[in-house]
Amino acid sequence: MANTHDRIRAIVWRDEALELLDQRLLPGKIEYRRLTDVEAVAQAIRDMVVRGAPAIGITAAYGVVLAARARYRQSLDSWSSTIQEDLKALAAARPTAVNLFWALQRMENVVAALDDAQDYDPTAPLLREAQAIHAEDIAANHRMGQLGLELLQASPGAVLTHCNTGSLATGGYGTALGVIRSGFAAGAINQVYADETRPWLQGSRLTAWELLQDDIPVTLLADGAAAYLLKHNQVQWVIVGADRITANGDVANKIGTYNLALAAHYHSVRFMVAAPSTTIDMSLPDGTHIPIEQRAAEEVLSVAGQSIAAAGATAWNPSFDVTPATLITALVTERGIVHHPTTEKMARLLTDKH
């Protein structure tokens, strides 16, 4: 079942460069952007050529490889100190996704280990680490798919998802969409609903495209229709991803997730969050401490560059919201499942041996 409904890879290292599937062009055009320097990688993250917390972290790791190669060629003696500027630029690209900082820390650990061998080309060991981060993410996604499937099999039926959490948002297979892939392949899911996800329309442009590429039927709905769908007992589970999870189990995810959690709670629909353990930030006690990225008003006031709002209107455009742990039925990670997360349960998840 491992390769069932799983053909898409949005991040590819090929011929000494990073290639990213430009998600801004989907579904109308499939085009990979070839990046050969760290500045282009940071810009691609900011511009949402690549998006999704795990994918951002993986992309940044490959960005460090490009940065180290360039710095080493510029100066054999000082590459490990000058590369710190590149690490800071990558870290500043998207502030909410904790996977970005986790991946950069792993890469920085390799940089530090190489510091005593200044005349040694750092490209190869850093590339090995970036590729390990990439491979570990895919493996974690398959594990989450298996664990999530166990929950789905106990109550099979239709599911609703929000934003994009699949191969486009990760190294491959996906978090919430990985669970959905596993559930569909096993017959535990008979219908997938997807919110359109304003203002970037990741649901309609990306999730629908990705599922259809892998022969999984999908039904789109306007974000505002989700509560009404849940009222009609059409959905057994709402399944979403996460960009950051705090010590008590609060979850930052794409704006609109909190709405879904409230509606699911009211209508007694189970609410699942699927995310790798690297998304958990135990340094933050709860969701009130999560930095929420505010994006340009034009994203709300226009669609595909075409203005849709009355002239003179302004917009409030947070990219994420925070869902309290009290609204979450199950948090699925590659390390295990946390039912109804609490601070104690989250700590146990990360300290137990697996």
Side-chain angles (χ1 to χ4, degrees):
M1 190 189 302
N3 295 318
T4 302
H5 309 293
D6 178 31
R7 293 190 289 264
I8 299 165
R9 291 295 179 266
I11 305 169
V12 180
W13 180 268
R14 185 172 14 235
D15 299 330
E16 299 186 345
L18 178 62
E19 296 183 5
L20 298 177
L21 178 59
D22 193 338
Q23 300 185 31
R24 302 169 303 176
L25 305 179
L26 292 173
K29 186 176 183 182
I30 300 174
E31 179 178 301
Y32 281 82
R33 294 173 60 87
R34 183 173 173 83
L35 310 179
T36 57
D37 60 74
V38 66
E39 293 82 5
V41 172
Q43 191 66 45
I45 294 172
R46 283 193 298 271
D47 291 347
M48 294 180 69
V49 172
V50 61
R51 24 71 50 210
I56 289 170
I58 295 164
T59 298
Y62 284 121
V64 176
V65 177
L66 297 174
R69 184 175 66 190
R71 295 292 186 181
Y72 179 76
R73 289 174 177 174
Q74 291 169 2
S75 174
L76 303 183
D77 298 328
S78 61
W79 72 266
S80 63
S81 58
T82 55
I83 199 176
Q84 296 301 318
E85 299 175 22
D86 302 316
L87 293 171
K88 290 178 182 177
L90 288 167
R94 295 295 300 273
T96 302
V98 72
N99 306 64
L100 170 63
F101 309 106
W102 172 86
L104 288 176
Q105 185 59 60
R106 274 189 58 167
M107 299 301 288
E108 191 168 8
N109 291 344
V110 177
V111 170
L114 295 170
D115 196 33
D116 293 332
Q118 291 292 332
D119 59 344
Y120 179 75
D121 188 342
T123 306
L126 284 169
L127 177 58
R128 284 195 295 270
E129 187 70 3
Q131 290 174 327
I133 291 171
H134 195 167
E136 289 166 16
D137 180 71
I138 296 173
N141 292 340
H142 280 281
R143 176 60 179 158
M144 283 185 282
Q146 294 170 0
L147 292 172
L149 174 59
E150 295 175 8
L151 298 176
L152 296 175
Q153 287 175 325
S155 52
V159 299
L160 169 64
T161 191
H162 185 70
C163 196
N164 175 264
T165 57
S167 295
L168 295 173
T170 65
Y173 201 65
T175 55
L177 276 196
V179 172
I180 289 172
R181 281 187 163 93
S182 295
F184 184 81
I189 292 176
N190 58 26
Q191 176 69 57
V192 179
Y193 292 97
D195 281 343
E196 61 177 353
T197 320
R198 280 280 290 150
W200 267 77
L201 301 171
Q202 291 99 326
S204 55
R205 292 191 307 107
L206 306 181
T207 295
W209 177 82
E210 181 174 335
L211 290 175
L212 292 173
Q213 294 299 303
D214 281 343
D215 301 319
I216 300 175
V218 60
T219 299
L220 282 168
L221 60 149
D223 294 1
Y228 195 54
L229 174 69
L230 298 180
K231 178 182 179 180
H232 284 81
N233 299 316
Q234 297 296 309
V235 172
Q236 295 297 315
W237 282 93
V238 175
I239 310 177
V240 301
D243 285 79
R244 188 178 297 210
I245 303 170
T246 57
N248 72 331
D250 289 350
V251 169
N253 194 50
K254 179 56 57 185
I255 192 72
T257 303
Y258 181 37
N259 303 39
L260 271 185
L262 289 170
H265 180 73
Y266 184 82
H267 293 294
S268 300
V269 175
R270 301 168 187 84
F271 192 91
M272 184 193 306
V273 176
S277 58
T278 54
T279 308
I280 301 171
D281 186 353
M282 295 299 285
S283 72
L284 301 184
D286 58 59
T288 63
H289 296 80
I290 299 175
I292 299 298
E293 178 184 2
Q294 294 285 335
R295 294 185 62 84
E298 286 73 21
E299 293 179 355
V300 174
L301 302 176
S302 63
V303 174
Q306 179 67 45
S307 177
I308 59 172
T314 60
W316 182 59
N317 188 21
S319 192
F320 305 91
D321 57 28
V322 177
T323 297
T326 52
L327 298 178
I328 297 170
T329 307
L331 169 61
V332 178
T333 79
E334 82 285 2
R335 297 176 66 91
I337 301 173
V338 179
H339 298 274
H340 305 288
T342 64
T343 301
E344 293 73 23
K345 291 178 181 178
M346 295 298 295
R348 194 178 311 129
L349 173 75
L350 296 183
T351 55
D352 285 351
K353 293 182 179 180
H354 296 270

